[in-house]
Amino acid sequence: MYRTVENNEIISRGPQKKDNLIGSKSDRIKNFKKPASDSFSSEFEAIIIEAQNRDILIPSPDELKIMDTYRQELKTIGVDEILARLYEMNNTGFDQFSLISWINPSTSPLLLPVNAPLFVPKLGWIGNGIDSYIDTSEPLDLLRINGYILTSDYSINYNLSQDVPSGTTGYFFGVSGNAPSLLNINTYRANNNTDIFYIGYLANIPRQVNIDYPAGVDKTGLRSIIRTNGEIKVYASSWSNSETIVESTEFHQETVKLLARSFDSGTINATVSGIDHYSIGKNIEPILTEYKTARENYVNAIAAL
């Protein structure tokens, strides 16, 4: 089971089954009253069609128009040539709609909520601090974009929508295991003012890149892990750091966990922070500023609904 918050009430929901949604598929499509097909771009129309094919409840026309504007801004800045997956989880309360990739929606796996993370409108998915997380359902070593395998050049991006409570350790992103020659990546808050990006593999000494914040600042915002020319760069909100890191050319063959990290033993380190955006692809640094701006405009528009 996983849950949503709507109108300040916690509502339990089960897996995506037809009887968990409001009305039949035909009723929902009829009630949706979608504008003429040319009202949406073809890229966003594909997302709507994927939702309907999966019997997933669709947001209102006004919200869809905001989403489509954002999707077109992403296309204009070149995201479709860079990213293989993009999951936008910030909306007014449509938890299942948040699980669809906005790039290649018909061929991308749905995100999978595990152990009841909480969906909060306009904040996305919140961990329970014990064992809940969002599984991307896809190992990094299988990802490709335009025939390019994400090994020597990649970017991983996620937005921290709710910070870790003061005095606690929070795990935001993890792909890890004990294979000695495969890349592990984990990011977490080690203390109140430092984010640690732990990158490496066990055959070599793993390295970490730290982001140190001034005390008292807002530590939510976009995190990016970017590898290019043998150098790892990490960005968190308006802070950045980089370091040359010797690493494997192959990712650990485990699916990525959002809001947690996991081990081959099955142990989960979870968090009570929140994530409302995840994307992965080639090096996004050349358009990172435009990418952040487009998303900030979208989040502000959703917040105003």
Side-chain angles (χ1 to χ4, degrees):
M1 297 286 287
Y2 58 98
R3 301 170 292 167
T4 67
V5 170
E6 297 174 1
N7 299 323
N8 297 320
E9 296 181 2
I10 296 178
I11 302 173
S12 295
R13 291 186 176 175
Q16 297 184 38
K17 295 180 181 178
K18 189 175 295 184
D19 58 3
N20 285 329
L21 301 174
I22 301 173
S24 67
K25 178 179 177 181
S26 59
D27 288 340
R28 291 198 313 279
I29 294 174
K30 179 176 64 178
N31 293 335
F32 164 53
K33 298 179 182 178
K34 186 171 73 66
S37 59
D38 59 359
S39 296
F40 293 128
S41 65
S42 59
E43 291 81 12
F44 195 69
E45 187 81 18
I47 300 169
I48 294 174
I49 291 171
E50 183 64 17
Q52 291 174 336
N53 287 342
R54 291 182 177 273
D55 283 358
I56 288 175
L57 193 63
I58 298 171
S60 70
D62 287 344
E63 186 165 355
L64 290 176
K65 289 177 182 177
I66 292 172
M67 291 176 170
D68 189 26
T69 297
Y70 172 41
R71 183 63 181 85
Q72 289 313 291
E73 289 181 5
L74 293 173
K75 179 181 178 181
T76 298
I77 65 176
V79 161
D80 292 78
E81 286 71 46
I82 293 176
L83 295 180
R85 303 283 182 263
L86 187 154
Y87 296 89
E88 182 52 65
M89 296 166 256
N90 189 303
N91 63 52
T92 62
F94 295 84
D95 52 352
Q96 297 184 17
F97 194 81
S98 76
L99 306 177
I100 300 173
S101 175
W102 285 26
I103 293 178
N104 303 318
S106 65
T107 57
S108 301
L110 293 180
L111 296 179
L112 178 65
V114 178
N115 296 329
L118 185 70
F119 187 82
V120 178
K122 305 181 183 181
L123 277 180
W125 291 96
I126 311 298
N128 64 11
I130 303 170
D131 59 0
S132 68
Y133 58 92
I134 302 295
D135 198 321
T136 64
S137 304
E138 190 170 43
L140 293 182
D141 64 316
L142 297 182
L143 279 171
R144 289 169 171 77
I145 178 166
N146 299 331
Y148 176 87
I149 302 175
L150 304 179
T151 53
S152 61
D153 169 10
Y154 61 78
S155 65
I156 298 167
N157 314 281
Y158 61 90
N159 191 78
L160 187 66
S161 59
Q162 176 172 290
D163 201 11
V164 180
S166 178
T168 65
T169 298
Y171 287 86
F172 308 139
F173 175 100
V175 52
S176 59
N178 292 326
S181 61
L182 300 178
L183 181 62
N184 300 276
I185 300 177
N186 289 284
T187 72
Y188 58 97
R189 177 72 46 74
N191 56 55
N192 289 345
N193 296 308
T194 302
D195 276 359
I196 292 181
F197 295 75
Y198 181 90
I199 304 164
Y201 61 107
L202 298 184
N204 190 28
I205 298 174
R207 301 292 291 274
Q208 67 184 49
V209 182
N210 291 2
I211 296 288
D212 296 312
Y213 305 99
V217 303
D218 180 7
K219 294 182 280 291
T220 60
L222 188 71
R223 271 81 171 142
S224 293
I225 305 165
I226 297 172
R227 183 183 192 273
T228 180
N229 297 322
E231 183 180 47
I232 295 288
K233 298 181 180 181
V234 298
Y235 295 84
S237 302
S238 59
W239 287 268
S240 64
N241 199 355
S242 64
E243 189 169 346
T244 300
I245 296 178
V246 178
E247 62 175 71
S248 169
T249 58
E250 246 187 303
F251 289 107
H252 190 271
Q253 294 151 339
E254 179 189 302
T255 59
V256 171
K257 309 295 188 293
L258 306 178
L259 299 173
R261 66 177 296 191
S262 63
F263 303 90
D264 284 350
S265 63
T267 300
I268 294 289
N269 289 144
T271 185
V272 291
S273 60
I275 283 181
D276 66 353
H277 182 88
Y278 166 67
S279 68
I280 186 167
K282 294 191 289 188
N283 177 17
I284 202 171
E285 190 173 23
I287 64 166
L288 184 58
T289 298
E290 292 85 354
Y291 181 62
K292 291 173 65 175
T293 298
R295 186 166 193 281
E296 287 168 3
N297 291 340
Y298 167 73
V299 170
N300 289 337
I302 292 294
L305 290 178

